[in-house]
Amino acid sequence: WYAALTPLLPPSGIDPVSTRNRLRIEMAPNPFDPALTIQYELDERAPVTLRVFDAQGRARVTLLEMAALQAGPHRSIWDGRDDAGATVASGIYFVQVHVGQRVETTGIVFAR
């Protein structure tokens, strides 16, 4: 099992092949329990939002909200808890990373 990076279509007016603000992202382990490490690297300073959604599309946790991050490597940890602090159910979740105008989504599995 592996997580494939699936970019969403960019908003109109954004060049889909541009490498500016390109995001390199790795998530491990997948499946995970008790924690998922999300590692990413930015080519330049950019606002970053990092959220986890359940399979029904509901936002479960926001790890970063418009954080102005410098260029270089970064790491976030998700401990399998939602914004209220409750452990989420086992299942498929989606990590969505917004970098500037770009959005990338990756599927993950939480297996307790």
Side-chain angles (χ1 to χ4, degrees):
W1 174 266
Y2 68 96
L5 197 62
T6 307
L8 301 176
L9 294 175
S12 62
I14 302 297
D15 180 3
V17 296
S18 173
T19 59
R20 189 172 177 84
N21 272 349
R22 184 177 177 97
L23 181 66
R24 290 170 295 282
I25 185 169
E26 293 181 17
M27 296 184 205
N30 190 14
F32 76 97
D33 178 30
L36 176 73
T37 300
I38 306 161
Q39 296 184 87
Y40 46 98
E41 187 168 343
L42 302 176
D43 289 338
E44 63 186 19
R45 179 183 169 93
V48 177
T49 297
L50 179 59
R51 289 192 179 97
V52 179
F53 294 84
D54 63 19
Q56 289 74 40
R58 296 177 298 217
R60 299 308 304 260
V61 66
T62 299
L63 299 171
L64 294 172
E65 180 71 41
M66 294 299 291
L69 300 181
Q70 297 294 328
H74 300 274
R75 179 174 56 189
S76 296
I77 306 290
W78 181 41
D79 62 2
R81 297 181 185 276
D82 63 17
D83 279 333
T87 301
V88 299
S90 294
I92 297 171
Y93 292 86
F94 297 92
V95 175
Q96 190 171 78
V97 182
H98 295 250
V99 177
Q101 296 296 315
R102 296 194 64 232
V103 178
E104 297 195 20
T105 304
T106 302
I108 57 169
V109 176
F110 181 49
R112 296 194 303 169

